[in-house]
Amino acid sequence: MSTENEGTAVPPAPSAPPVPVDAPAASAPQAPDAGAPTTPIPPHPSGGAQGPELVHAGPAPAYASAQGQPHGGPGGPEGAWPPPQPPATPSYADGGAGGAGAGGAGPTGVWGAGYQQPAPKPKNGRGGLVAAILVAALVAGGLGGGLGYTLAKNNDNGSSTTLSASDSGGSVKRDAGTVAGVAQRALPSTVTIEAESTNGEGGTGTGFVFDTQGHIVTNNHVVADAVDGGKLTATFPNGKKYDAEVVGHAQGYDVAVIKLKNAPGDLKPLTLGNSDQVAVGDSTIAIGAPFGLSNTVTTGIISAKNRPVASSDGSGSNASYMSALQTDASINPGNSGGPLLDAQGNVIGINSAIQSTSGGGLGGTSQSGSIGLGFAIPINQAKYVAQQLIKTGKPVYAKIGASVSLEDSTGGAKITTEGAGGSAPVEAGGPAAKAGLKPGDVITKLDDHVIDSGPTLIGEIWTHKPGDKVKITYERDGKTRTVDLTLSSRTGDS
């Protein structure tokens, strides 16, 4: 499935329509100041994993599904995706669709549409009603006062008692296990990231404190613009802003680590959970900067696990693959790189992508938003990648040493007859070759996980570490076979 990144700026709300002469004038609503857009993930082009159209939770470049192997592997995808354009006129809660551009047609009930002066109001209409309500209120007040006086008089025995309402509801205590309690502890350890390239382009995303040395974990597509000499800043909820630098980034995993310059000494890393133990139905809490609105907290549940997601950040031909946690917590552009927490406040994933509707993906005229299908990189995988990036600055990928087709399929991952650039489809001496796999074999399972396509296989392989032993189930000549193999490694994205 393909995804779209997050972080597109919110268009300013237009002025309200004219106010009738006989009504008090209302001030025009002010639109919130939004941050720079983050990358949307457009519809998955043919040749990628099957699934709904998704949207990445990150900066301006659009994330799209891959059409080939990641760069450095066979059949690398090509092409870049432009950032989505914000709608000309936003839709409001009256049910109107976004209006057309200037001079364009738009339904009634949308800001910017023509305004009709209301017909004169009937005589003694609103004024009479207000007067009647006022009289009723006065009568009720007089009645209450009279009853109170009568009751007090009838029960007067020479003593008096004064009753007064409390002027305070008491102190509000929020237990640590509540959403408010979790948010209170986690927010100080999250940051809003602004990445800007040398030509001024960029976007906004989110990250969280990984250690006390000032390392921040986020998505690769959030910081991609600042990798080659760009500008990078991280702002905490208390308003303190720090310059930062990219320590390492992994295109394939869509994970990056940045480090704060002159980091404060009181950093509190978020506690990492165990994404392998997450169950469908578990509560989730997402923190991020949707549409530039920093420090936003939303809630939901884990709605599915092991969702294959293939995407590209639009800056090159490399592709990202993940076997994602799916959540219905509201995630929008700008949430990319933010933590997905469990009910205890432990990080279980990195928010990365959302499903988008057809109108807001690649080439669409509107910025996609949450429809209740968000995707996060499992923290067990992200932790391993982050540690590698901090240690060496480069990612390490597990591999089987075979080129697989990335065409749409539900039957499995087929080993191709030709490799990328004329290389062998099965690497000589690699794990697949040692296990006896050949071109034309169709891999249908990795351990107990069903494999329905090439991208799904890659995503599952990358949840493992080099040296892990896995069981491969494949079909050849109509017969199903099973073989064990040990994954080897590849360093770097190129």
Side-chain angles (χ1 to χ4, degrees):
M1 58 175 65
S2 65
T3 55
E4 181 180 324
N5 292 328
E6 306 178 6
T8 300
V10 181
S15 300
V19 180
V21 177
D22 59 348
S27 58
Q30 298 295 321
D33 183 16
T38 55
T39 317
I41 304 180
H44 182 52
S46 61
Q50 288 189 335
E53 179 188 4
L54 304 177
V55 183
H56 248 281
Y63 245 56
S65 53
Q67 292 181 323
Q69 289 281 59
H71 189 61
E78 297 181 4
W81 292 266
Q85 299 299 318
T89 306
S91 301
Y92 288 84
D94 57 6
T108 58
V110 180
W111 292 116
Y115 179 78
Q116 297 277 338
Q117 183 71 18
K121 296 184 177 179
K123 195 171 184 179
N124 297 326
R126 179 183 177 190
L129 177 61
V130 171
I133 293 174
L134 180 58
V135 171
L138 291 173
V139 170
L143 178 63
L147 287 175
Y149 171 77
T150 301
L151 291 173
K153 181 178 179 180
N154 292 339
N155 290 281
D156 188 3
N157 57 5
S159 62
S160 63
T161 302
T162 302
L163 300 177
S164 62
S166 172
D167 59 358
S168 172
S171 61
V172 178
K173 294 183 180 180
R174 295 177 175 87
D175 295 335
T178 63
V179 173
V182 170
Q184 187 176 30
R185 297 194 310 274
L187 275 169
S189 296
T190 62
V191 296
T192 298
I193 298 173
E194 294 182 24
E196 184 177 318
S197 65
T198 53
N199 61 9
E201 296 181 354
T204 301
T206 309
F208 61 91
V209 177
F210 187 70
D211 59 28
T212 57
Q213 285 71 50
H215 290 108
I216 305 293
V217 172
T218 184
N219 280 140
N220 172 73
H221 69 259
V222 168
V223 303
D225 287 319
V227 168
D228 297 319
K231 182 180 179 181
L232 196 65
T233 61
T235 304
F236 285 86
N238 61 9
K240 292 184 178 180
K241 190 172 187 176
Y242 297 86
D243 290 331
E245 60 184 355
V246 178
V247 172
H249 59 106
Q251 167 66 40
Y253 293 119
D254 195 20
V255 173
V257 175
I258 66 175
K259 187 174 184 180
L260 304 178
K261 297 179 180 180
N262 302 315
D266 59 350
L267 291 175
K268 295 182 179 180
L270 291 182
T271 303
L272 305 185
N274 185 346
S275 52
D276 289 341
Q277 295 180 353
V278 171
V280 173
D282 282 351
S283 296
T284 58
I285 302 170
I287 299 179
F291 297 104
L293 301 174
S294 301
N295 317 316
T296 295
V297 177
T298 56
T299 63
I301 62 168
I302 293 293
S303 46
K305 296 177 62 176
N306 304 315
R307 289 294 195 206
V309 176
S311 55
S312 173
D313 68 359
S315 64
S317 60
N318 293 338
S320 300
Y321 299 91
M322 66 176 119
S323 183
L325 297 175
Q326 179 180 315
T327 180
D328 64 350
S330 182
I331 298 174
N332 285 286
N335 276 101
S336 273
L340 183 68
L341 310 172
D342 62 17
Q344 289 71 46
N346 304 310
V347 182
I348 55 175
I350 300 177
N351 301 318
S352 182
I354 60 175
Q355 179 179 346
S356 82
T357 54
S358 59
L362 177 64
T365 58
S366 63
Q367 172 64 57
S368 299
S370 173
I371 58 173
L373 291 172
F375 301 89
I377 302 167
I379 195 59
N380 287 9
Q381 179 182 18
K383 176 183 177 181
Y384 164 74
V385 176
Q387 290 172 335
Q388 290 292 326
L389 294 176
I390 293 172
K391 183 178 180 180
T392 67
K394 295 182 179 181
V396 178
Y397 299 92
K399 68 174 186 177
I400 63 171
S403 174
V404 294
S405 172
L406 299 183
E407 295 179 356
D408 290 339
S409 170
T410 57
K414 183 177 181 179
I415 299 179
T416 59
T417 56
E418 294 183 3
S423 62
V426 178
E427 177 185 324
K434 291 180 180 179
L437 294 174
K438 298 179 179 180
D441 290 345
V442 179
I443 298 174
T444 57
K445 277 188 178 182
L446 190 151
D447 292 331
D448 294 329
H449 296 282
V450 175
I451 303 300
D452 59 6
S453 66
T456 301
L457 175 64
I458 296 171
E460 285 297 332
I461 291 174
W462 286 357
T463 63
H464 292 77
K465 301 177 180 65
D468 285 354
K469 292 183 178 180
V470 297
K471 180 176 293 185
I472 298 292
T473 301
Y474 66 98
E475 295 180 355
R476 179 191 297 171
D477 299 328
K479 296 182 179 179
T480 300
R481 309 182 184 191
T482 301
V483 65
D484 294 328
L485 59 79
T486 301
L487 299 172
S488 62
S489 66
R490 172 173 66 84
T491 301
D493 282 314
S494 59

